[in-house]
Amino acid sequence: KQEVTQIPAALSVPEGENLVLNCSFTDSAIYNLQWFRQDPGKGLTSLLLIQSSQREQTSGRLNASLDKSSGRSTLYIAASQPGDSATYLCAVNSISSGSARQLTFGSGTQLTVLP
Amino acid sequence: DADVTQTPRNRITKTGKRIMLECSQTKGHDRMYWYRQDPGLGLRLIYYSFDVKDINKGEISDGYSVSRQAQAKFSLSLESAIPNQTALYFCATSDERTGMRSEQYFGPGTRLTVT
């Protein structure tokens, strides 16, 4: 059974810092990995989707990498801003889920960027 | 307008009551999902539907039922609510035409409290 772990559970940084969020998964047989942002009362927003054949994806100040063989992904946020404060979730679409395309989620990293 | 909408956004109900949560999407996607999120945990899959005639149980389907009234509508019912069903519920959609590359899109969530 796929298990997804995110460390740390919470992170507080001063504005302007570059930071890295970590995600690890136990079964490397995946279709893709998705990073989400969760804001209170606003649901989940998809940030980046990395296919199993890709090594990284970039969107603005965000860069996500994938090392499938080691079961790890990182989300890099450059020049952090207070508006980046949210919970960041990593989710894996495993081949073992078959046609269900079921996502297995980590429990998230709660990020606070201090002005 | 949001692509995936959920109603109600918040609901408080009593133990033993029947309750229905509704989800609608305008993305034209064929697949729809219901997840629940508990504090400190990732999202877990309750049910998913490939199309109107195809409903499947997810990881935690006990105590829940679903109905796919149309391609755009997927409702989740709690036949007799109990306090441990207090959680944040999310609906999601994906487009199977993109196959294993499919990205899931989430609604804003319904916060359900069972007293």
Side-chain angles (χ1 to χ4, degrees):
Chain A
K1 178 183 174 184
Q2 180 74 269
E3 293 182 1
V4 179
T5 303
Q6 291 186 248
I7 295 174
L11 180 65
S12 183
V13 300
E15 182 177 3
E17 272 205 6
N18 303 323
L19 59 98
V20 174
L21 307 181
N22 297 294
C23 172
S24 61
F25 46 96
T26 55
D27 182 356
S28 62
I30 65 171
Y31 290 121
N32 55 52
L33 183 146
Q34 211 167 336
W35 280 95
F36 293 89
R37 168 181 173 142
Q38 183 173 17
D39 294 280
K42 294 185 179 180
L44 275 67
T45 302
S46 180
L47 297 173
L48 289 164
L49 173 71
I50 310 179
Q51 301 298 338
S52 61
S53 58
Q54 298 175 321
R55 292 296 297 245
E56 65 179 72
Q57 280 286 331
T58 298
S59 176
R61 294 183 293 109
L62 305 179
N63 176 277
S65 68
L66 174 65
D67 184 343
K68 198 174 60 170
S69 62
S70 67
R72 301 176 74 170
S73 176
T74 61
L75 179 67
Y76 174 84
I77 303 176
S80 58
Q81 303 170 358
D84 294 329
S85 298
T87 298
Y88 290 81
L89 296 168
C90 164
V92 174
N93 186 345
S94 306
I95 292 175
S96 62
S97 73
S99 58
R101 308 279 187 259
Q102 176 178 340
L103 292 179
T104 302
F105 281 81
S107 55
T109 294
Q110 185 173 359
L111 173 66
T112 302
V113 181
L114 303 170
Chain B
D1 288 340
D3 294 321
V4 184
T5 58
Q6 293 182 232
T7 56
R9 295 293 312 278
N10 289 283
R11 180 72 182 267
I12 300 173
T13 191
K14 294 184 183 298
T15 297
K17 294 292 188 181
R18 184 178 189 275
I19 185 169
M20 179 182 290
L21 309 182
E22 298 186 340
C23 176
S24 294
Q25 54 116 346
T26 58
K27 299 186 75 67
H29 289 172
D30 51 345
R31 292 182 168 230
M32 298 186 75
Y33 309 78
W34 276 105
Y35 292 86
R36 69 175 275 175
Q37 184 181 34
D38 296 280
L41 299 178
L43 280 71
R44 292 179 291 165
L45 183 65
I46 306 172
Y47 270 94
Y48 61 99
S49 170
F50 290 179
D51 61 35
V52 174
K53 298 180 181 180
D54 194 335
I55 305 291
N56 302 276
K57 292 182 178 181
E59 180 184 354
I60 53 165
S61 60
D62 287 348
Y64 301 95
S65 63
V66 292
S67 174
R68 185 84 182 264
Q69 301 94 326
Q71 187 189 33
K73 296 184 182 297
F74 193 35
S75 60
L76 175 72
S77 294
L78 287 67
E79 298 301 326
S80 180
I82 56 177
N84 75 1
Q85 291 177 314
T86 293
L88 189 54
Y89 289 85
F90 287 102
C91 174
T93 73
S94 69
D95 185 355
E96 180 57 17
R97 289 170 296 179
T98 62
M100 61 183 184
R101 299 190 301 277
S102 62
E103 183 172 357
Q104 291 193 18
Y105 298 87
F106 284 75
T110 294
R111 184 168 298 280
L112 176 66
T113 302
V114 183
T115 62

